[in-house]
Amino acid sequence: PPATAGTTDAGTIDPLPALADLADQHGARFHVDASYGGPLLFSDTHRTALTGLTRAHTVTLDLHKLGWQPVAAGLLAVPAPATLTPLAHQADYLNADDDTEAGLPDLLGRSLRTTRRPDILKIAVTLKALGRQGLGDLVDRTLAAARTFADLVDAHPRYELHSQPTLTTVLFRPIGADDTALAAIRRSLLIEGHAVLGRATTPTGLWLKATLLNPHTQPGDLTHLLKLVEGHTPR
Ligand SMILES: Cc1ncc(COP(=O)(O)O)c(C=O)c1O
């Protein structure tokens, strides 16, 4: 399996240097799914959380999360163009060499997919408009919002925090609530149009999951969110 830099459940980052060593020892290819955590590279403050990523043979990134793109915005990063040689596979029904030689644009060989939207355009525009630092600033703010929310939960006598967030996912739950109560909280907030909370199962059971992705979230929004949850927490 690949290493994950930003798991979907808890937003944690696997120990990349140790996994890179393991892959080396076994002569295995080392792929990192950095769909969620990859954009920490934009941040001067948080980039070190991805130490070891450069040892990957391939990395996937999904900028619909911490890159603020509409779906689809997935990227496969490879260390050298030669890695993509299999994409040059020729098929008569797809490739017209004479047209390519005559100067017609040919996007085959540039993607794993044949039929695709120009996903790269919006990503390129965002990078041009905000730059690496601009995106890094959004990453920093969003991670700070998650830490603020985790602190609010931790300080609240009725709630427990699963762990300090690594990225922007905060797992929490009312102390003593069973799975049915957690489901009721999530569904009520969704149906009322107040909040979309996810859920995650860990070795310590089921948790509510707040995945914060809005860099403009203010501490007051987070206090409000916890109050809304409280309003649906059985006494
Ligand atoms: C860690 C991780 N990998 C992969 C994916 C899925 O990527 P895709 O939607 O491109 O299949 C997700 C969710 O979008 C994810 O959180």
Side-chain angles (χ1 to χ4, degrees), residues 35-222:
S35 294
Y36 179 17
L40 262 59
L41 288 173
F42 297 134
S43 160
D44 291 335
T45 316
H46 295 292
R47 186 179 314 143
T48 51
L50 295 174
T51 299
L53 187 70
T54 51
R55 294 178 60 193
H57 293 100
T58 48
V59 177
T60 38
L61 290 134
D62 211 337
L63 295 177
H64 82 249
K65 298 161 188 283
L66 286 172
W68 297 280
Q69 305 298 306
V71 288
L75 298 172
L76 173 71
V78 298
T83 317
L84 298 176
T85 305
L87 297 181
H89 180 77
Q90 298 278 318
D92 276 349
Y93 65 91
L94 289 174
N95 304 87
D97 286 346
D98 52 336
D99 283 348
T100 309
E101 276 157 29
L104 293 186
D106 179 4
L107 295 178
L108 290 165
R110 290 178 177 269
S111 166
L112 298 179
R113 286 180 284 162
T114 303
T115 308
R116 75 196 80 86
R117 291 167 186 270
D119 293 335
I120 198 65
L121 179 64
K122 61 199 174 192
I123 297 170
V125 168
T126 302
L127 279 166
K128 273 269 183 209
L130 298 181
R132 185 183 65 73
Q133 280 192 338
L135 277 163
D137 180 47
L138 299 184
V139 167
D140 290 351
R141 288 189 206 198
T142 315
L143 263 69
R147 276 151 212 214
T148 302
F149 188 61
D151 289 345
L152 286 173
V153 169
D154 212 17
H156 197 299
R158 293 184 69 199
Y159 293 89
E160 60 178 322
L161 178 68
H162 174 266
S163 49
Q164 282 299 328
T166 307
L167 297 179
T168 65
T169 296
V170 181
L171 301 186
F172 70 108
R173 65 187 171 197
I175 293 166
D178 62 14
D179 292 2
T180 314
L182 293 188
I185 293 170
R186 287 178 48 247
R187 286 177 202 148
S188 307
L189 293 178
L190 180 69
I191 290 162
E192 291 164 7
H194 285 311
V196 183
L197 289 179
R199 64 175 182 178
T201 305
T202 77
T204 50
L206 188 67
W207 296 82
L208 295 173
K209 175 169 86 161
T211 306
L212 299 170
L213 285 172
N214 184 345
H216 305 295
T217 299
Q218 296 297 315
D221 302 322
L222 300 168

